[in-house]
PDB file of all heavy atoms in Angstrom:
ATOM      1  N   THR A 912     142.332 197.644  49.875  1.00  0.00           N
ATOM      2  CA  THR A 912     142.379 199.004  49.624  1.00  0.00           C
ATOM      3  C   THR A 912     141.866 199.677  50.931  1.00  0.00           C
ATOM      4  O   THR A 912     140.725 199.237  51.386  1.00  0.00           O
ATOM      5  CB  THR A 912     141.674 199.468  48.344  1.00  0.00           C
ATOM      6  OG1 THR A 912     142.332 198.810  47.323  1.00  0.00           O
ATOM      7  CG2 THR A 912     141.829 200.902  48.164  1.00  0.00           C
ATOM      8  N   GLY A 913     142.468 200.718  51.371  1.00  0.00           N
ATOM      9  CA  GLY A 913     141.953 201.332  52.580  1.00  0.00           C
ATOM     10  C   GLY A 913     142.332 202.763  52.417  1.00  0.00           C
ATOM     11  O   GLY A 913     142.393 203.423  51.232  1.00  0.00           O
ATOM     12  N   GLU A 914     142.580 203.602  53.413  1.00  0.00           N
ATOM     13  CA  GLU A 914     142.984 204.958  53.284  1.00  0.00           C
ATOM     14  C   GLU A 914     144.054 205.330  54.494  1.00  0.00           C
ATOM     15  O   GLU A 914     143.878 204.687  55.472  1.00  0.00           O
ATOM     16  CB  GLU A 914     141.814 205.929  53.241  1.00  0.00           C
ATOM     17  CG  GLU A 914     140.930 205.986  54.462  1.00  0.00           C
ATOM     18  CD  GLU A 914     139.868 206.958  54.210  1.00  0.00           C
ATOM     19  OE1 GLU A 914     138.939 206.702  53.423  1.00  0.00           O
ATOM     20  OE2 GLU A 914     139.939 208.098  54.804  1.00  0.00           O
ATOM     21  N   ARG A 915     144.866 206.248  54.067  1.00  0.00           N
ATOM     22  CA  ARG A 915     145.936 206.603  55.106  1.00  0.00           C
ATOM     23  C   ARG A 915     145.157 207.159  56.207  1.00  0.00           C
ATOM     24  O   ARG A 915     144.165 207.733  56.205  1.00  0.00           O
ATOM     25  CB  ARG A 915     146.739 207.681  54.422  1.00  0.00           C
ATOM     26  CG  ARG A 915     147.743 207.105  53.345  1.00  0.00           C
ATOM     27  CD  ARG A 915     148.997 207.808  53.435  1.00  0.00           C
ATOM     28  NE  ARG A 915     149.891 207.366  52.308  1.00  0.00           N
ATOM     29  CZ  ARG A 915     150.619 206.284  52.384  1.00  0.00           C
ATOM     30  NH1 ARG A 915     150.695 205.529  53.549  1.00  0.00           N
ATOM     31  NH2 ARG A 915     151.384 205.999  51.249  1.00  0.00           N
ATOM     32  N   ALA A 916     145.828 206.921  57.405  1.00  0.00           N
ATOM     33  CA  ALA A 916     145.377 207.401  58.779  1.00  0.00           C
ATOM     34  C   ALA A 916     146.514 207.678  59.621  1.00  0.00           C
ATOM     35  O   ALA A 916     147.532 207.225  59.401  1.00  0.00           O
ATOM     36  CB  ALA A 916     144.366 206.223  59.285  1.00  0.00           C
ATOM     37  N   PHE A 917     146.160 208.511  60.681  1.00  0.00           N
ATOM     38  CA  PHE A 917     147.212 208.569  61.783  1.00  0.00           C
ATOM     39  C   PHE A 917     146.373 208.344  63.016  1.00  0.00           C
ATOM     40  O   PHE A 917     145.198 208.701  63.174  1.00  0.00           O
ATOM     41  CB  PHE A 917     147.808 209.902  61.702  1.00  0.00           C
ATOM     42  CG  PHE A 917     147.156 211.176  62.012  1.00  0.00           C
ATOM     43  CD1 PHE A 917     147.170 211.630  63.323  1.00  0.00           C
ATOM     44  CD2 PHE A 917     146.329 211.777  61.187  1.00  0.00           C
ATOM     45  CE1 PHE A 917     146.443 212.783  63.764  1.00  0.00           C
ATOM     46  CE2 PHE A 917     145.616 213.011  61.554  1.00  0.00           C
ATOM     47  CZ  PHE A 917     145.726 213.474  62.841  1.00  0.00           C
ATOM     48  N   ILE A 918     147.025 208.021  64.168  1.00  0.00           N
ATOM     49  CA  ILE A 918     146.493 207.897  65.335  1.00  0.00           C
ATOM     50  C   ILE A 918     147.105 208.972  66.413  1.00  0.00           C
ATOM     51  O   ILE A 918     148.281 209.006  66.389  1.00  0.00           O
ATOM     52  CB  ILE A 918     146.745 206.485  65.839  1.00  0.00           C
ATOM     53  CG1 ILE A 918     146.251 205.394  64.892  1.00  0.00           C
ATOM     54  CG2 ILE A 918     146.317 206.168  67.265  1.00  0.00           C
ATOM     55  CD1 ILE A 918     146.649 203.880  65.014  1.00  0.00           C
ATOM     56  N   SER A 919     146.159 209.535  67.127  1.00  0.00           N
ATOM     57  CA  SER A 919     146.649 210.442  68.249  1.00  0.00           C
ATOM     58  C   SER A 919     145.848 210.314  69.286  1.00  0.00           C
ATOM     59  O   SER A 919     144.601 210.125  69.294  1.00  0.00           O
ATOM     60  CB  SER A 919     146.256 211.941  67.569  1.00  0.00           C
ATOM     61  OG  SER A 919     146.691 212.853  68.653  1.00  0.00           O
ATOM     62  N   ASN A 920     146.553 210.010  70.509  1.00  0.00           N
ATOM     63  CA  ASN A 920     145.916 209.801  71.820  1.00  0.00           C
ATOM     64  C   ASN A 920     144.909 208.636  71.756  1.00  0.00           C
ATOM     65  O   ASN A 920     143.682 208.768  72.227  1.00  0.00           O
ATOM     66  CB  ASN A 920     145.155 211.081  72.311  1.00  0.00           C
ATOM     67  CG  ASN A 920     146.289 212.231  72.616  1.00  0.00           C
ATOM     68  OD1 ASN A 920     147.330 211.917  73.046  1.00  0.00           O
ATOM     69  ND2 ASN A 920     145.832 213.457  72.421  1.00  0.00           N
ATOM     70  N   GLY A 921     145.278 207.602  70.838  1.00  0.00           N
ATOM     71  CA  GLY A 921     144.479 206.481  70.920  1.00  0.00           C
ATOM     72  C   GLY A 921     143.240 206.512  69.839  1.00  0.00           C
ATOM     73  O   GLY A 921     142.533 205.617  69.808  1.00  0.00           O
ATOM     74  N   GLN A 922     143.094 207.722  69.216  1.00  0.00           N
ATOM     75  CA  GLN A 922     141.920 207.887  68.396  1.00  0.00           C
ATOM     76  C   GLN A 922     142.527 207.945  66.858  1.00  0.00           C
ATOM     77  O   GLN A 922     143.602 208.573  66.572  1.00  0.00           O
ATOM     78  CB  GLN A 922     141.179 209.194  68.658  1.00  0.00           C
ATOM     79  CG  GLN A 922     140.011 209.360  67.749  1.00  0.00           C
ATOM     80  CD  GLN A 922     139.150 210.580  68.244  1.00  0.00           C
ATOM     81  OE1 GLN A 922     139.604 211.298  69.034  1.00  0.00           O
ATOM     82  NE2 GLN A 922     138.044 210.845  67.472  1.00  0.00           N
ATOM     83  N   SER A 923     141.920 207.232  66.003  1.00  0.00           N
ATOM     84  CA  SER A 923     142.253 207.128  64.655  1.00  0.00           C
ATOM     85  C   SER A 923     141.585 208.289  63.731  1.00  0.00           C
ATOM     86  O   SER A 923     140.395 208.437  63.960  1.00  0.00           O
ATOM     87  CB  SER A 923     142.301 205.771  64.021  1.00  0.00           C
ATOM     88  OG  SER A 923     140.912 205.492  63.990  1.00  0.00           O
ATOM     89  N   PHE A 924     142.415 208.775  62.780  1.00  0.00           N
ATOM     90  CA  PHE A 924     141.783 209.795  61.870  1.00  0.00           C
ATOM     91  C   PHE A 924     142.129 209.321  60.414  1.00  0.00           C
ATOM     92  O   PHE A 924     143.362 209.195  60.148  1.00  0.00           O
ATOM     93  CB  PHE A 924     142.292 211.210  62.129  1.00  0.00           C
ATOM     94  CG  PHE A 924     141.979 211.774  63.538  1.00  0.00           C
ATOM     95  CD1 PHE A 924     142.987 211.464  64.580  1.00  0.00           C
ATOM     96  CD2 PHE A 924     140.927 212.363  63.870  1.00  0.00           C
ATOM     97  CE1 PHE A 924     142.629 211.876  65.858  1.00  0.00           C
ATOM     98  CE2 PHE A 924     140.629 212.838  65.146  1.00  0.00           C
ATOM     99  CZ  PHE A 924     141.380 212.569  66.134  1.00  0.00           C
TER     100      PHE A 924
END
Side-chain angles (χ1 to χ4, degrees):
T912 300
E914 61 182 76
R915 292 215 183 274
F917 76 93
I918 299 171
S919 177
N920 294 326
Q922 186 174 3
S923 63
F924 299 92

